[in-house]
Amino acid sequence: MSLKRTTMQDIADACGLSRNTVSKIYNGRGSVPEATRRLVLAKARELGYHQLPAAEKELRGGTIALLTQHKLLSHNFGAYFITSFTDQICRSGYTMKIYEVSAGEIAARRLPPHFDPEQTAGILGIELFDRDYLEMICSLGKPTVFVDGYARANEVPIRCDFVSMENIASESALVDRMIAGGARKLSFVGDIEHCNSFHERWAGFCGSLDRAGLPIDPELCILKEDSELYGDTEWLLERLGELPEMPDAFACANDFLAIHLMTALKRMGLSIPGDVMLAGFDGSPEASVVEPSLATARIPSADIGRLAALLLAERIRLPDFPYHWTYVKTTPVWGNSIP
């Protein structure tokens, strides 16, 4: 499935037609011979153009419910994701409603107010990491795609599709680089039970240490629950003070944790990467502007949003197709926090 954005002009050029002819088919303005219409639609599918022609939009339609526990525009991944998801799902002929799910609704396994399953063509869940709540949503019997999931979600059969960023390979690459730079006592920072992505990053961390013949020492790690104050420098200084010794390197579950840990380490008078190496994960804009720049892994948020929309539209069209888990490649970014 191609993620490359194809335009009407690309289709027109491939068919030897004018862009105006292609536009008539997709916008329903003007008549086009049936043979030409079939040629254009076939070429559009071949090139990965997923917008529906006007006639099919009228037949398809419906509302997609996006359920989330957090305001998606408040962080880097969510902002890029929601923009591309919305664009692609509308191109596929659907409208969208966003529902913010409260902690109380999750605990009670209750749907948000005004959510009507009967008026919903499909569901997208993002930033929802409670197993019971995800299973409740799946029990509605609606075409559903989740972005990420609860820790070890990929080990449990569930009646929906998942799409996620790839975590293990990029985390391993970051940790391997720190080991190659001389690190022998390594720490992981983050709640490894918070979500499946954090758990997979922990798996990548452990795999690298195991291959290098280095011990995995939980006593050197900061693995407190996500509800703890990872963004508070004083709290982090207390956790660092509780470690039996200062690690050579820290692998953090995301850039947010890494940047706040960097502040705490500097407060202790430690230089990065001279005294301690540090890596995050997300590829956030902040990672490139802190000093030193943060080694991280870039997540293609917009592509994941577009892919999630395509998967959901396909699930609506083919409800009996086998469920699947789709990973999107991430890319290590070698900032100056690792030598």
Side-chain angles (χ1 to χ4, degrees):
M1 185 180 297
S2 174
L3 296 179
K4 180 180 180 294
R5 300 303 299 273
T6 302
T7 66
M8 289 188 189
Q9 187 63 59
D10 294 330
I11 299 168
D13 293 343
C15 294
L17 299 169
S18 69
R19 185 187 183 283
N20 184 53
T21 299
V22 175
S23 178
K24 286 180 181 179
I25 294 171
Y26 282 94
N27 297 323
R29 297 171 183 169
S31 61
V32 174
E34 182 59 26
T36 301
R37 182 178 183 277
R38 288 198 298 269
L39 170 66
V40 167
L41 295 181
K43 183 57 67 175
R45 284 192 294 272
E46 178 185 328
L47 295 176
Y49 189 72
H50 298 283
Q51 180 174 334
L52 291 175
E56 290 187 34
K57 283 184 181 179
E58 293 175 3
L59 294 175
R60 190 170 294 194
T63 300
I64 300 300
L66 190 155
L67 303 180
T68 181
Q69 194 176 1
H70 302 289
K71 295 184 184 299
L72 292 178
L73 296 179
S74 65
H75 55 86
N76 181 59
F77 175 82
Y80 286 106
F81 174 92
I82 193 63
T83 300
S84 62
F85 178 85
T86 302
D87 175 69
Q88 186 61 58
I89 208 66
C90 291
R91 286 173 176 267
S92 297
Y94 298 95
T95 57
M96 189 178 73
K97 291 183 179 179
I98 299 178
Y99 299 88
E100 190 169 342
V101 185
S102 70
E105 287 162 349
I106 289 177
R109 302 183 206 174
R110 187 175 66 245
L111 292 167
H114 312 302
F115 178 87
D116 183 357
E118 295 302 317
Q119 300 299 316
T120 301
I123 298 170
L124 177 86
I126 179 171
E127 294 288 326
L128 293 173
F129 302 135
D130 184 274
R131 176 173 178 171
D132 291 338
Y133 199 78
L134 266 63
E135 291 181 346
M136 181 275 289
I137 292 174
C138 292
S139 72
L140 299 174
K142 291 291 180 179
T144 299
V145 172
F146 284 111
V147 178
D148 205 354
Y150 54 86
R152 304 180 185 85
N154 56 346
E155 299 175 8
V156 180
I158 193 167
R159 291 167 293 171
C160 65
D161 298 309
F162 281 95
V163 61
S164 176
M165 68 291 296
E166 197 290 318
N167 298 288
I168 295 177
S170 285
E171 185 66 41
S172 294
L174 291 165
V175 175
D176 288 347
R177 180 74 168 259
M178 291 193 284
I179 293 172
R184 294 297 176 265
K185 296 173 291 185
L186 289 92
S187 171
F188 189 88
V189 179
D191 179 3
I192 62 176
E193 300 297 329
H194 172 60
C195 62
N196 195 66
S197 286
F198 279 22
H199 193 268
E200 289 182 339
R201 291 167 199 175
W202 165 253
F205 171 84
C206 293
S208 285
L209 266 63
D210 184 63
R211 287 190 297 275
L214 297 174
I216 301 164
D217 186 357
E219 295 298 317
L220 280 181
C221 300
I222 303 175
L223 306 176
K224 303 292 185 181
E225 290 186 4
D226 192 65
S227 58
E228 294 288 355
L229 302 176
Y230 279 96
D232 184 276
T233 302
E234 297 300 328
W235 183 87
L236 284 169
L237 285 168
E238 290 179 12
R239 302 291 78 75
L240 290 168
E242 293 169 354
L243 299 180
E245 58 182 324
M246 182 57 63
D248 301 321
F250 290 90
C252 299
N254 63 18
D255 290 349
F256 171 83
L257 302 180
I259 290 170
H260 285 286
L261 184 65
M262 181 183 289
T263 300
L265 292 169
K266 288 179 178 179
R267 283 270 300 273
M268 296 177 69
L270 297 172
S271 68
I272 303 168
D275 296 321
V276 181
M277 297 178 231
L278 184 65
F281 206 109
D282 276 351
S284 64
E286 294 80 4
S288 62
V289 298
V290 293
E291 179 57 41
S293 58
L294 183 64
T296 183
R298 183 179 296 116
I299 298 173
S301 309
D303 287 338
I304 293 175
R306 193 173 303 118
L307 178 58
L310 294 173
L311 289 172
L312 185 53
E314 192 72 357
R315 173 58 58 194
I316 294 170
R317 190 175 72 87
L318 299 171
D320 297 325
F321 195 75
Y323 296 119
H324 48 276
W325 188 296
T326 303
Y327 281 101
V328 179
K329 183 180 182 296
T330 57
T331 307
V333 178
W334 306 114
N336 295 325
S337 60
I338 300 176

